[in-house]
Amino acid sequence: MHPSPRATLSGGFPPRSWSTPVKSQRALLALAITAGLVALAGCSKSTEEAVGPAAPAKSAEEFVAEVNTTLHEMTPEITSAAWLGATYINKDSQRVESAANERWLAKNNEFIAAAKTYSTEGLDASTARAIHLLKTSSSMPAPRDPAKLKELTEIASRMGATYGAGKWCVGDDCKDIGQVSEILADTENSSYDQMRAAWEGWHTIAQPMRQDYVRFVELTNEGAREMGFANTGDVWRAGYDMPADEFKAEADRLWGQVQPLYEQLQCYTRTKLEQKYGEQGSIDGMIPAHLTGNLWQQDWGNLWPLLQPYEGVGSLDVSDALKKQREQILADLVSKAGGMRNLTAAQQMELERQADVEIATRMTRLAESFYTGLGMPALPETFWTDSMLVQPRDRDVVCHASAWQMNTDASEVRMKMCIKPTEEELFTIYHELGHIYYYLAYKDQAPVFQTGAHDGFHEAIGDTIELSMTPEYLASIGLVDKPAVSEQAVINGQMRMALAKVAFLPFGLMIDQWRWGVFDGSITPEKYNQAWWELKAKYQGVAPAGGVRGEEFFDAGAKYHVPGNTPYTRYFLSHILQFQFYKALCDASGHEGPLYTCNFAENPEAGKRFWAMMQRGASQPWQQTLKELTGGEQMDASAVLEYFQPLQSWLQEQNQGQTCGWEAAKG
Ligand code: X8Z
Ligand code: ZN
């Protein structure tokens, strides 16, 4: 799962995409009957085609009220089943999770069918909006045929579990995603061959999912057609308060704005890799996929030692500071226990564990304090008691970070992560708390509106805060020394941010370029891998070492969101929107000077504006919500370009004399 079952499973419409509480099944049945839902659920497609949808038995207002009540009642059990599936991967939890999901999706299909019988004309704005969301929001459109629905939910659970439990094994030596990632992240000490082996090793975990994914596509496409859409991608693109085709063009337009900046960064990086690795440092102008410090080449922060523009100009090594903090925690624990010599191996491991939990908790408290510093509430006690902050030692879990809203009053919210003391993970915590604070902000909206203005908004909340984590802010919380003030320091700071934010942009776009193609049939299963690498080449300018990766692989499946079925364009949009939010909040805080120097920590006015925006949830079209915060109704990358202006000029200078760009094979 993703940020939360609510915010992401159905990608908009409260995705307690998962099912019905056993204890209230009778109540739900009664509800369904009074809402006229049972009759509708019984409508086969052909009946509908022959006679048209049945006339609604309830007024639209009554129908929406019933949906809200049902969501309120079903959410806790659905989310609990999903939580179990992700935090105790085994046969039983998969069974419980997929059964819950099955019941929810069957109910959701009833809602969709019923919603289609209502015209929004003449309805009050709120009811019309709710009906519109019901008709258009689903990330996993499900077939009405009960056998196919069951098959779909079983496949979804199986793929999620396979990914979560995925390991790269050489003989009996098996490494999970955290261990594989550590090899790649250590770009200074891991050799070219070690990184390549780790990268290829991780990609083996996806091979067994290929057949499941092919079937998954068939089944959700059937569900999409029954909803009245051409395919699943068409449903995904319907969630943006604009025609699906316009949305495609919108994504292309935004990419066009930032592409030149990315190409400069790619060119600079490739050159540095060539200097380090010689001929092996690039492949026809593209970056070898295993050399960016990240399994998917989406965040290049681990290349900092190679790419740092000016060495020794103010250290920004947050990871080092966090690791030292953990060492200190451990040293204190050991000394309290009477010193290392008095401890058995088991006791030492126990203290290591306690140190892991303590540093993870401190990092999370740090993130919380940014939000409370803006005037937002403290996290509820249940967050601390129920969250999974570190990787359990005794079982497989989905380590991919997520934030959860367990019930519609948001009295239970959780984070699930396998936190390690690194800068990247610290950023991810701020990101996840962005989801959590969004849940807390819109909890008083009707359940059907308890989601992001669009899914990119949900992803952008925490990231907006990340932009405020300037060297000055990091110094204020004791993670780096007092920052240097110079042009060189500016470029260093910009590079640090660009390796996270700019490197990500084409990746954020290409994943769904691939899935849209898979769903609309232009990418057939025989070409899954070929198309994947064509898109990686076209957008990111990266390529696998060792030549063509054949169709025996399923490299898309090695990225969480593909088996997890989380639409990905949201992250691309977020990486544009977060700069717009940041600029608006900087303005609200009275910031003067270059945008990249703005840190709105502790500013109540910025906090008020942000919270007010978040409180809207999905109760109105996102354009309106954006306007209330920024004054404009369009997503626009000019704030990205304004922010990175110094770096872009610097990169252009550095790249002078280089032939930038690359020759991507045509798809
Ligand atoms: O999946 C996530 C979050 C949960 S919504 C950890 N992100 C994307 C990813 O890791 O691929 C955040 C940035 C992009
Ligand atoms: Zn997220």
Side-chain angles (χ1 to χ4, degrees):
M1 195 145 24
H2 346 224
S4 93
R6 296 169 60 69
T8 58
L9 276 183
S10 71
F13 167 57
R16 331 43 197 285
S17 274
W18 325 60
S19 194
T20 316
V22 174
K23 71 174 173 47
S24 61
Q25 258 183 356
R26 240 175 337 146
L28 277 166
L29 188 61
L31 223 163
I33 292 167
T34 51
L37 299 178
V38 166
L40 285 165
C43 273
S44 73
K45 197 164 179 250
S46 54
T47 315
E48 235 180 70
E49 275 161 3
V51 299
K58 289 265 167 190
S59 74
E61 292 77 8
E62 285 167 326
F63 167 61
V64 170
E66 311 254 14
V67 170
N68 280 323
T69 307
T70 308
L71 286 171
H72 173 72
E73 291 184 357
M74 291 173 76
T75 296
E77 191 198 350
I78 299 155
T79 51
S80 285
W83 178 267
L84 273 181
T87 61
Y88 281 81
I89 298 179
N90 61 35
K91 205 158 77 179
D92 301 306
S93 64
Q94 274 184 69
R95 191 175 290 154
V96 169
E97 180 192 43
S98 58
N101 201 10
E102 187 184 334
R103 280 179 283 135
W104 160 250
L105 289 173
K107 174 59 67 185
N108 196 30
N109 276 348
E110 292 172 13
F111 287 155
I112 293 167
K116 280 164 70 177
T117 66
Y118 294 95
S119 155
T120 51
E121 237 168 86
L123 297 179
D124 67 87
S126 164
T127 307
R129 174 103 186 127
I131 301 268
H132 167 75
L133 291 177
L134 284 166
K135 285 179 188 171
T136 53
S137 308
S138 173
S139 63
M140 196 161 95
R144 287 183 204 157
D145 177 333
K148 288 181 177 168
L149 173 57
K150 185 171 185 339
E151 188 186 359
L152 174 64
T153 59
E154 285 171 358
I155 289 175
S157 285
R158 188 160 60 239
M159 289 196 301
T162 304
Y163 184 91
K167 289 183 190 65
W168 163 43
C169 294
V170 181
D172 290 340
D173 177 20
C174 291
K175 291 189 169 47
D176 65 21
I177 189 164
Q179 295 164 316
V180 173
S181 297
E182 271 174 26
I183 297 172
L184 288 180
D186 194 357
T187 54
E188 280 185 294
N189 297 309
S190 300
S191 71
Y192 181 98
D193 289 339
Q194 282 169 331
M195 291 192 279
R196 183 167 162 190
W199 185 91
E200 287 175 356
W202 177 251
H203 284 72
T204 60
I205 70 114
Q207 287 172 282
M209 293 179 209
R210 187 183 241 272
Q211 277 325 305
D212 267 347
Y213 197 74
V214 172
R215 183 68 181 144
F216 178 85
V217 171
E218 287 168 3
L219 290 169
T220 60
N221 270 345
E222 184 169 325
R225 285 192 297 272
E226 287 171 357
M227 275 177 80
F229 291 84
N231 60 64
T232 304
D234 206 22
V235 181
W236 288 5
R237 290 186 299 274
Y240 295 97
D241 297 308
M242 63 172 75
D245 278 354
E246 242 174 67
F247 177 70
K248 259 189 183 165
E250 192 63 356
D252 289 344
R253 179 181 68 78
L254 294 167
W255 170 237
Q257 283 186 282
V258 294
Q259 191 176 8
L261 173 61
Y262 176 76
E263 285 181 2
Q264 291 295 324
L265 184 65
Q266 195 272 1
C267 188
Y268 173 75
T269 304
R270 179 189 85 195
T271 309
K272 288 285 178 186
L273 287 170
E274 282 166 352
Q275 284 165 7
K276 177 165 179 180
Y277 295 103
E279 271 188 6
Q280 288 186 311
S282 75
I283 302 164
D284 297 331
M286 292 184 275
I287 293 172
H290 63 288
L291 290 184
T292 64
N294 176 278
L295 274 166
W296 311 279
Q297 312 81 49
Q298 68 184 73
D299 184 323
W300 301 354
N302 291 319
L303 282 178
W304 178 252
L306 184 70
L307 302 182
Q308 180 178 13
Y310 300 105
E311 237 183 287
V313 182
S315 166
L316 295 174
D317 200 340
V318 171
S319 296
D320 185 55
L322 291 169
K323 286 193 174 86
K324 283 191 177 129
Q325 278 191 22
R326 185 198 171 275
E327 289 317 307
Q328 189 56 51
I329 293 166
L330 182 62
D332 291 348
L333 286 168
V334 169
S335 112
K336 231 180 170 171
M340 200 62 104
R341 268 178 305 160
N342 291 321
L343 297 173
T344 62
Q347 284 169 326
Q348 285 178 27
M349 268 174 60
E350 193 49 42
L351 293 187
E352 292 270 356
R353 177 74 180 169
Q354 280 181 33
D356 289 341
V357 172
E358 177 59 25
I359 188 69
T361 308
R362 278 196 204 176
M363 288 163 72
T364 310
R365 285 278 183 206
L366 205 54
E368 180 194 30
S369 70
F370 198 114
Y371 290 86
T372 54
L374 291 175
M376 298 185 194
L379 292 168
E381 195 46 36
T382 53
F383 174 89
W384 299 104
T385 51
D386 300 349
S387 286
M388 186 192 96
L389 299 186
V390 295
Q391 183 170 8
R393 289 171 292 184
D394 58 347
R395 61 185 193 267
D396 286 322
V397 300
V398 178
C399 270
H400 190 88
S402 52
W404 298 57
Q405 181 183 350
M406 303 302 288
N407 51 11
T408 53
D409 66 11
S411 56
E412 269 189 40
V413 287
R414 301 178 189 174
M415 181 166 82
K416 176 182 68 58
M417 237 182 117
C418 302
I419 298 175
K420 294 191 177 151
T422 67
E423 178 181 30
E424 196 178 336
E425 300 264 295
L426 184 70
F427 267 50
T428 302
I429 299 171
Y430 281 72
H431 173 94
E432 295 308 327
L433 290 200
H435 290 304
I436 302 257
Y437 276 97
Y438 213 167
Y439 304 148
L440 297 177
Y442 58 52
K443 71 181 172 50
D444 295 326
Q445 291 284 351
V448 71
F449 298 142
Q450 288 186 9
T451 188
H454 70 47
D455 52 9
F457 279 61
H458 230 299
E459 299 304 335
I461 305 297
D463 284 28
T464 303
I465 305 260
E466 286 171 12
L467 292 176
S468 211
M469 295 168 74
T470 55
E472 289 70 25
Y473 168 76
L474 294 171
S476 78
I477 57 174
L479 285 179
V480 299
D481 295 335
K482 194 172 165 4
V485 183
S486 66
E487 273 176 37
Q488 295 189 339
V490 167
I491 298 300
N492 271 2
Q494 290 244 302
M495 180 64 87
R496 164 180 163 269
M497 215 43 118
L499 296 181
K501 304 293 183 189
V502 178
F504 181 82
L505 288 161
F507 182 73
L509 197 61
M510 64 78 44
I511 292 216
D512 283 354
Q513 299 287 327
W514 183 80
R515 276 189 295 198
W516 292 349
V518 166
F519 288 129
D520 74 17
S522 59
I523 297 172
T524 57
E526 302 73 49
K527 297 233 162 115
Y528 272 4
N529 229 39
Q530 183 190 327
W532 176 256
W533 286 105
E534 281 169 1
L535 288 163
K536 296 281 288 180
K538 176 177 168 190
Y539 286 100
Q540 291 183 277
V542 303
V548 173
R549 303 255 315 157
E551 296 301 327
E552 68 275 28
F553 297 110
F554 177 46
D555 290 330
K559 175 67 192 165
Y560 167 76
H561 302 70
V562 174
N565 194 44
T566 309
Y568 210 85
T569 310
R570 62 184 59 187
Y571 300 105
F572 172 72
L573 300 178
S574 149
H575 277 67
I576 307 287
L577 270 176
Q578 60 191 255
F579 287 86
Q580 290 178 265
F581 292 175
Y582 174 66
K583 187 174 161 69
L585 297 178
C586 291
D587 287 348
S589 73
H591 172 75
E592 282 171 13
L595 183 57
Y596 59 83
T597 60
C598 163
N599 157 23
F600 57 77
E602 307 287 331
N603 187 287
E605 191 50 35
K608 234 166 60 193
R609 294 288 296 271
F610 210 12
W611 188 253
M613 186 278 269
M614 289 154 72
Q615 281 184 308
R616 296 284 191 201
S619 62
Q620 60 188 15
W622 63 264
Q623 291 88 342
Q624 180 61 26
T625 305
L626 185 64
K627 191 172 177 184
E628 286 168 10
L629 181 66
T630 67
E633 292 188 356
Q634 261 211 330
M635 292 186 276
D636 178 48
S638 51
V640 179
L641 301 179
E642 179 185 343
Y643 181 98
F644 284 114
Q645 200 282 321
L647 183 73
Q648 186 157 15
S649 302
W650 184 86
L651 285 171
Q652 273 159 357
E653 269 169 42
Q654 303 302 310
N655 290 333
Q656 254 173 31
Q658 298 289 337
T659 311
C660 289
W662 56 89
E663 193 59 39
K666 298 285 172 295

